[in-house]
Structure formats: C-alpha cells, structure tokens
C-alpha cells in the first residue's frame, strides 16, 4: 500500500473503533434504562448517531451487542487492577506502618475504580439480566470481582512471605479486604445510582477498613496494632 | 352480623389475601424475568391464576403493583431482624467467649435471612429498576440493609456499654460487621441466582467474619483475642 493508502486505512480503523465505542455506550445506557428486551437496534443506532447498517456491520444482533458490552468488563478490570497495583511496585515494604500506608492507598484506588459510573452501570446491568444470561453473569463475576480479589490475594501472599501478615487462607483474607473496603460504598451505589462518597468519606472508609483488616491479619510483633 | 356472616367475611378476607399474595409472587417472577416494562397485567393474572379483574381490584395499575411488591420489603426485613435478634434476648453475655458465640449465631442467622430466594429476588429487582424508581430504591435501601445495620448497631451499643466492645462509631462498626458477614455470599448470589453456600461454608464465613470483627472491635482485656 502507498503511504496515503495506509493512512487512509488507519483513519478508517480509527473511525470504525470510535463508532463501535459509541454504539456500545448508547446500548449500555438503553439496556439499563429500558431493560434488555425493550431495547431495539433502531434506537441504539439513533442514540449512537450512526446508521442501522453500521450497527449490524459491527454486531450481528442484539444479543451479540449485549455480549460484547459485558465482555468489555475485562478491559475495565485490567484498568482498575493496573491502577491499584501501580502503587505496589515502586515501594519496598519493611514495616507494619509502611504496610498500613500501602494498603490504604490500595484501598482508596480500589474504591475509586469500582465506583466509576461506567463500572457501576455495567455491574447493575449484569445483575439485572443474570437470569437471562447466566453465562455472562458468571463471566462478569470471574473477570471483575473475583479477578480483582485474586490479584489482592497475590499481593497479600508477598506480605505473608515477608512475615508482615498472617493468614492461612490468603484468598479469603483478600475477599475480606475487598469487601471491608468496597461493600459499604458499592452496596449504597447500587441503590442510589449517581451518588458517590466525597473524597473525605472515601478516605475514612479506606482507613477504617485497613485498620480492621490489620487488626485481624497483621502478623504479631510488627507493631501494626 | 350473625356468626355465619362473620365466618363468611373472614373466609372472604383470607381468600382475598391469598389472591393478593399470589399476584405479587407471580408479578415478582415476571418483573425479574422480563423487566418492568415488558411485564403485562394480563400475564400477571394468567401466572397468578386469577382474573384480570381481580388483579385490578387489588392494584390500580402496574406501577402500584410494583410499588406494593417493593414496599413488601418491610415485612421481609422485620422477619429477618426478628429471627436474628431472637438469640440475643435469651442470653446474658458476660465474657468475650460468650460474645463470640452470640455474634457467630447472629451472623449465621443474618446470612440465612438475606440469602432467602425471595429476599435475593426482590433485591435484584430493585437494583435493576433503580433508575426508573429512585424513590423505591431509596425506600428499599432504608428498610432493608440500612435498617438491619441500625438494629445491629443497637446490639453493639449494649456490648460497648458493658465494656466488651470498643467502637467510637457503633453504626460504622455495625456496617463492618454486616458486610464482613454478608458481602461474600451476597455478592456472589447476585451473579449466580439460585446458588447458595452449603451450611458448612456458611458457618465458616460467619466464624471468620466474627473473628475479624472481634480482632478489631473487642475491648482490650476481655480475652476475646
């Protein structure tokens, strides 16, 4: 291909990707507002400001569109996990005080990630349609909450190895960490769409969750209590 | 009224209440399966095995029927709370070991109450329709999770007064207790409708949640750690 043809193909790919993104965002909003059954591909096309033909070029039918949206959770999860764990790599943790500080930072990032409007919206959508699409609900659960907890478990294992934490079952400890941190604001957000805690409230929730976690899981003798 | 007329009226009331219950159960299942918008009063009548006239005698329209179902959460909550707190009244708690045993029993009852299929179904229905009916979502949240946490907070206050627990903010301590106990099985149940933990798994979750809670909130010197 000539350089102009390459440039043209690139622009086409970019435009196509943008349209795909617009279709998925419009469809997510419609699925949430009207439910799966009442959302039509016509309406998706109109809300995304693309032709119906374009919608069908990207997605064979409504079910494929719904599946693509839910499977997009993998991207959300990776972004949240990358942000959460960014704080870990740069820091050596030698004392319980340093551990407390790292875990509090991790907790704050966890809350921020999970309370993003598009993350909450997808979660509510999957819960609403869990009986219609049990395989997608399972995939969502494995790729989102369970995947994040597995990453936290791996983080905790490194602190257990260094003698800073004590836990027979690191996966259960990670689930306790995750839900101590997240459950209060996340459960509330499920019933009050659009409401979010202030930064101060988020910091308080993160700090108290870490205090409780360390009271239960800090290895004796490191001074974290 | 003659005694026969009284008996007749009573039977009528009982029949009417049973029909109302059948309509609400059929409608809950339909709302969950098809969403609010796609559920028709005709279908509700058919599934409840009553006439359409009977449905409209009980509920003016679909929205009133939906509201009645969600507001029925108050009855669910009271039943769960009564069962949870039944264990408290009969027992004097003087030591940390007794406290651990009571809280573990409370935790088990909490999990059993919240994981009942009709309780989970209503919860999923309200989350699914939270944008359409924000006032009902708020009412549900206040009457169900927040109300149960308030009851737990009152329980914890009595143990704080007796010097067995230490917490500056009993409501936050109660929320930590509630979500330590519930969040793992409840979050999973939202994505795997119909799946429930075994009794052994439930007991393990309850025991571990109480262990963590007491590690953080037991007053020093009572021997609970």
């Amino acid at each position: 291909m000539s350089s102009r043809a390459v440039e043209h193909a690139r622009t086409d790919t970019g435009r196509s990707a943008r349209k795909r993104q617009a279709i998925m965002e419009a469809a997510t909003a419609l699925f949430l507002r009207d439910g799966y059954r009442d959302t039509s591909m016509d309406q998706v096309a109109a809300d995304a400001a693309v032709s119906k033909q374009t919608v069908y070029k990207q997605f064979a039918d409504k079910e494929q569109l719904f599946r693509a949206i839910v499977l997009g959770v993998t991207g959300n999860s990776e972004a949240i996990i990358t942000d959460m764990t960014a704080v870990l790599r740069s820091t050596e943790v030698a004392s319980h005080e340093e551990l407390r500080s790292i875990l509090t930072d991790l907790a704050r990032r966890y809350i921020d990630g999970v309370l993003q409007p598009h993350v909450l919206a997808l979660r509510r959508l999957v819960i609403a349609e869990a009986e219609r699409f049990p395989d997608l609900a399972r995939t969502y659960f494995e790729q989102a909450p369970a995947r994040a907890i597995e990453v936290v478990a791996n983080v905790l294992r490194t602190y257990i190895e260094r003698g800073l934490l004590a836990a027979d079952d690191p996966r259960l400890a990670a689930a306790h960490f995750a839900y101590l941190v997240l459950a209060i604001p996340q459960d509330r957000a499920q019933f009050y769409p659009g409401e979010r805690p202030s930064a101060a409230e988020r910091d308080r929730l993160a700090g108290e969750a870490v205090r409780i976690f360390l009271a239960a899981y800090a290895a004796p003798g490191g001074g974290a209590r």
Side-chain angles (χ1 to χ4, degrees), chain A:
Chain A
M1 273 198 283
S2 71
S3 69
R4 186 183 287 179
V6 169
E7 186 54 40
H8 191 78
R10 234 182 241 148
T11 313
D12 260 15
T13 311
R15 198 185 301 139
S16 176
R18 276 197 305 278
K19 281 185 182 174
R20 190 179 168 87
Q21 191 53 36
I23 293 165
M24 287 171 72
E25 279 170 18
T28 302
L30 286 167
F31 284 141
L32 267 173
R33 197 189 72 194
D34 300 337
Y36 175 79
R37 284 232 314 213
D38 261 6
T39 297
S40 72
M41 294 292 256
D42 283 2
Q43 214 172 345
V44 170
D47 283 20
V50 301
S51 71
K52 203 174 160 181
Q53 215 178 347
T54 303
V55 175
Y56 281 107
K57 212 169 90 184
Q58 297 273 2
F59 304 98
D61 55 29
K62 190 167 69 170
E63 180 169 337
Q64 293 314 312
L65 173 53
F66 186 80
R67 288 184 174 273
I69 288 170
V70 177
L71 297 178
V73 70
T74 313
N76 288 350
S77 290
E78 289 312 311
I80 293 172
I81 287 165
T82 302
D83 183 64
M84 274 167 59
T85 51
V87 68
L88 301 173
R89 284 189 205 105
S90 58
T91 324
E92 278 293 311
V93 179
S95 72
H96 272 152
E97 269 321 308
E98 282 165 13
L99 179 59
R100 179 189 303 274
S101 153
I102 289 279
L103 290 181
T104 306
D105 198 2
L106 185 75
R108 277 194 290 252
R109 288 160 183 263
Y110 211 168
I111 293 174
D112 284 348
V114 164
L115 291 195
Q116 291 174 90
H118 71 282
V119 174
L120 283 172
L122 185 55
R123 179 184 173 84
R124 289 183 43 243
L125 183 58
V126 175
I127 291 172
E129 304 294 347
E131 262 165 73
R132 190 189 307 271
F133 297 112
D135 63 316
L136 285 179
R138 191 174 59 241
T139 300
Y140 178 93
F141 189 82
E142 286 166 2
Q143 294 297 318
R147 166 115 177 78
I149 288 169
E150 197 49 53
V151 169
V152 172
N154 286 334
V155 170
L156 299 184
R157 279 186 193 101
T158 68
Y159 299 133
I160 293 168
E161 280 163 20
R162 290 184 222 170
L164 292 163
L165 294 177
D168 296 336
D169 183 345
R171 220 196 146 280
L172 181 60
H176 283 138
F177 179 83
Y179 289 114
L180 271 169
V181 168
L182 299 177
I184 293 177
Q186 190 180 47
D187 199 34
R188 192 176 169 87
Q190 293 189 133
F191 294 97
Y192 296 76
E195 223 192 80
R196 296 185 64 182
S198 67
E201 177 66 7
R202 176 207 59 184
D203 288 352
R204 177 168 175 257
L205 289 170
E208 278 296 296
V210 170
R211 182 186 76 76
I212 293 162
F213 180 79
L214 288 177
Y217 284 111
R225 303 195 195 188

